[in-house]
Amino acid sequence: MAPLSGPEAAGAFEEGTPFAYERPPRDRRWVALFALAWLLCVCGGIVGAVNRNPAYGRRDVATAAECPLPGHPALHPGRRLAEPPPLPPSGFDATTAMVWWLFASTAASLLPGAALVWLYKAHAEATTHAGLLIQAGGYAAAGAGLLLVGGLGSSDAFAPGAVLLLVGAVLAAAWRYWREQIQLTARLLRVSANGLAANPGLVPLVLGLALAGLCAMGPLVVSAGFVLQNGELGPNPARGGSPKCVDALTGKDVPCCVFNTASWASAYLALPWVFTLIWTNLLFHQARIFVVAGTIAQWYFAAPSAATRGAMMRSVRHAAGPALGTLCFGALVTTLAHIVRRMAENLRRRGVLGLVLSIPLRWVASLVEYLTKYAVIMAAISGEPLVVAGRRAVDLLARNCLEAITTTLWFAPLSMLMTCLTLAAAWGCGNAGLFSLLVLAHGAAGEAQSWAAVITVGWVSAALSLPLLIFLGGIVLNVLDAAFLCWAMDRDASTVSAQKDVYDAFCALPLKPAAGAVVEGPDGRVSYGAELTALRDGASPASPSGDRQQRQPLLAGGAASVELA
């Protein structure tokens, strides 16, 4: 790769690090394209609001001859509003208590989220192994349960029970075979949790980005609501042309009329609105990756005594300013990949041929999303346009760390997902257990409604805590991706900028031999220098005290070296 020169190089390595503190605007045309698409969708909503049909949603149609029927049919004079059921003999209102308990459980769901980060920070190995073993054990337990049910007289349970038991055994054997890679994954997740703990402001910042994304999608959702109200009332097709308001096949009562959405409204919702909504959602997802990567890069490349205060807001300013076009472009690429993935899922349901065709489409979509993620991370560090940053990231990973991606790093999302599921299940069981104590304390143990509420509390509290856990787990994985690319840049330049534990954790990965710096030989030819033993053996060249060394070269002396971009 040719060395950087001119303002590009000066901006990329300001203050002796690869992080560009000052950067010009990039990919600006994509900002204009996104703004145009968003405004057109909102304008479509305004047109829909002006021309909406007041008959939309009316339920006052009594006969086919009067469609719609003006006025509302009178209520039967003897009908009254339903009265609330009387309280049970114990006087304990399980439904009201359940609602208040779920509110409190949702407010306290930050506790399992904090436990997630703490577990990976303090007990990463045990947490990783436990999550994977619980997955295998869950399949095995479900299979054993079905086999037991089959032994009690249900022969239909034998086949699925045997399959689940076999899956559990295969997973357990696979985790044992890959135990070294799993151990390395645990070390990497501990490094990631430490990076998040060193930058705790990332959690509320990313949460704020998620709320901002909801606010940006709000006008689009409102616009769709107005557009749906454009159309006319017409006879219900289920009547089959009958003058009566009954189903032509079953003879059951059906609405006399249905609302037929206008053709332009259907076209608006089918393509531009859905596309823009996905694009907007993924734009804020790319912004999350960008901000986390920029913050972690500043922390990673900081000098031993340097303060990283203001790193997060600097990354936010970059995302909202010079890099906004890069984020719009990256979100557009991932939107197209998302659409391709949905097409593959639809094809998979259409026979064997569709299943075969869906496999390469899903691979292409996954590859595009993966490469775009690292391109955005590189852009967050260097300030380059998306395409340039993507080429640089792919070249960097291919020359240094491709084996690590294919053999080890894919365990991290799987381990994180299983840990999140385990913590959500534990949170649900804990809430159900505490609520059952409340039921017993009020003497309502003999009431079926109370125990139904206990089961509901357990399931709903687990379901409500799971999105938060996955959200926090996603931040930990974003930190891991950013730290991994920063370390790859260090390794490619034969320098050390990270803390000792960060450097050691990544050096333990299965990697290509380090090529060293670019050197010029006596004959004038340029090539990679000899591999450094410390890098090959995975030893850390950091100082004995474990402090960072600000981009200390690992190859010194001899021929003149040329640092690559």
Side-chain angles (χ1 to χ4, degrees):
M1 180 184 296
L4 290 177
S5 61
E8 289 277 340
F13 288 91
E14 185 177 339
E15 299 187 13
T17 74
F19 186 83
Y21 288 85
E22 301 295 334
R23 52 187 70 178
R26 304 290 192 183
D27 299 317
R28 285 178 289 185
R29 60 183 178 276
W30 302 107
V31 179
L33 183 61
F34 171 78
L36 179 62
W38 193 89
L39 289 175
L40 285 176
C41 285
V42 173
C43 290
I46 296 174
V47 173
V50 172
N51 299 297
R52 65 190 183 97
N53 190 339
Y56 177 82
R58 290 176 63 179
R59 296 293 182 268
D60 56 352
V61 180
T63 65
E66 298 174 309
C67 179
L69 179 68
H72 294 271
L75 291 176
H76 192 277
R79 297 180 63 182
R80 295 190 302 172
L81 294 177
E83 297 179 357
L87 289 176
S90 65
F92 177 66
D93 188 356
T95 302
T96 302
M98 178 187 66
V99 171
W100 283 107
W101 189 281
L102 289 176
F103 271 118
S105 173
T106 303
S109 57
L110 288 175
L111 293 177
L116 176 71
V117 178
W118 177 80
L119 284 173
Y120 276 111
K121 183 180 178 182
H123 306 285
E125 289 80 3
T127 303
T128 303
H129 284 91
L132 297 176
L133 289 177
I134 286 174
Q135 182 191 30
Y139 280 107
L146 288 176
L147 289 178
L148 179 61
V149 172
L152 295 177
S154 178
S155 58
D156 294 338
F158 268 114
V163 171
L164 289 177
L165 195 61
L166 179 62
V167 170
V170 170
L171 285 177
W175 301 153
R176 178 173 177 78
Y177 178 77
W178 284 316
R179 58 186 180 276
E180 293 183 2
Q181 287 84 351
I182 293 173
Q183 188 72 16
L184 292 176
T185 300
R187 295 181 62 183
L188 296 179
L189 289 173
R190 182 175 65 244
V191 167
S192 180
N194 288 332
L196 182 59
N199 300 274
L202 279 175
V203 175
L205 180 60
V206 173
L207 182 60
L209 285 174
L211 294 177
L214 292 177
C215 293
M217 291 187 290
L220 299 178
V221 175
V222 173
S223 298
F226 283 126
V227 169
L228 280 173
Q229 301 180 35
N230 285 254
E232 299 292 339
L233 282 174
N236 191 342
R239 291 160 45 194
S242 171
K244 299 179 180 180
C245 299
V246 295
D247 191 290
L249 299 177
T250 64
K252 296 181 179 180
D253 291 337
V254 295
C256 294
C257 300
V258 294
F259 190 85
N260 299 312
T261 305
S263 57
W264 75 268
S266 300
Y268 165 88
L269 294 172
L271 184 59
W273 182 83
V274 171
F275 189 89
T276 306
L277 184 70
I278 298 174
W279 193 1
T280 304
N281 180 36
L282 293 179
L283 170 61
F284 284 88
H285 178 72
Q286 298 298 321
R288 162 181 161 172
I289 296 174
F290 184 96
V291 170
V292 171
T295 303
I296 294 301
Q298 294 175 74
W299 166 76
Y300 182 98
F301 292 116
S305 58
T308 57
R309 180 177 300 176
M312 288 183 295
M313 295 312 299
R314 183 179 296 112
S315 295
V316 171
R317 288 194 297 270
H318 287 165
L324 183 57
T326 300
L327 296 180
C328 291
F329 188 17
L332 177 62
V333 173
T334 51
T335 298
L336 296 174
H338 177 82
I339 293 174
V340 170
R341 184 186 297 277
R342 301 298 296 181
M343 291 171 55
E345 292 177 359
N346 292 333
L347 281 174
R348 190 175 56 179
R349 304 186 187 98
R350 299 184 179 180
V352 178
L353 180 59
L355 177 62
V356 172
L357 293 176
S358 69
I359 294 175
L361 290 178
R362 295 181 64 187
W363 285 351
V364 169
S366 299
L367 180 62
V368 170
E369 291 171 347
Y370 203 80
L371 296 180
T372 304
K373 176 182 68 175
Y374 278 107
V376 170
I377 294 174
M378 180 62 78
I381 299 172
S382 64
E384 296 169 318
L386 184 71
V387 174
V388 177
R391 290 173 180 169
R392 184 178 174 188
V394 170
D395 180 68
L396 180 69
L397 295 177
R399 285 189 289 110
N400 291 273
C401 317
L402 192 58
E403 293 87 348
I405 295 175
T406 56
T407 60
T408 302
L409 289 184
W410 68 272
F411 280 105
L414 177 61
S415 171
M416 183 64 66
L417 176 61
M418 294 312 304
T419 303
C420 291
L421 291 173
T422 303
L423 286 176
W427 182 250
C429 292
N431 276 275
L434 293 175
F435 191 77
S436 65
L437 294 179
L438 180 65
V439 170
L440 294 174
H442 284 81
E447 299 167 6
Q449 181 185 8
S450 299
W451 293 111
V454 169
I455 297 174
T456 303
V457 164
W459 280 105
V460 175
S461 58
L464 292 177
S465 65
L466 184 59
L468 177 63
L469 288 168
I470 293 177
F471 174 80
L472 292 175
I475 299 177
V476 174
L477 294 176
N478 292 150
V479 172
L480 176 61
D481 291 331
F484 178 65
L485 194 61
C486 291
W487 173 82
M489 296 174 72
D490 253 359
R491 185 175 188 270
D492 192 63
S494 298
T495 56
V496 178
S497 301
Q499 297 177 0
K500 185 177 184 300
D501 58 342
V502 177
Y503 185 86
D504 289 342
F506 283 115
C507 277
L509 293 172
L511 302 167
K512 289 182 179 181
V518 176
V519 296
E520 182 179 357
D523 57 354
R525 295 183 179 180
V526 178
S527 62
Y528 283 105
E531 174 194 353
L532 192 68
T533 304
L535 281 177
R536 181 181 65 245
D537 297 338
S540 171
S543 62
S545 62
D547 294 336
R548 296 179 191 168
Q549 300 179 8
Q550 181 62 22
R551 298 192 60 77
Q552 174 184 342
L554 297 180
L555 293 176
S561 62
V562 182
E563 187 175 35
L564 288 181

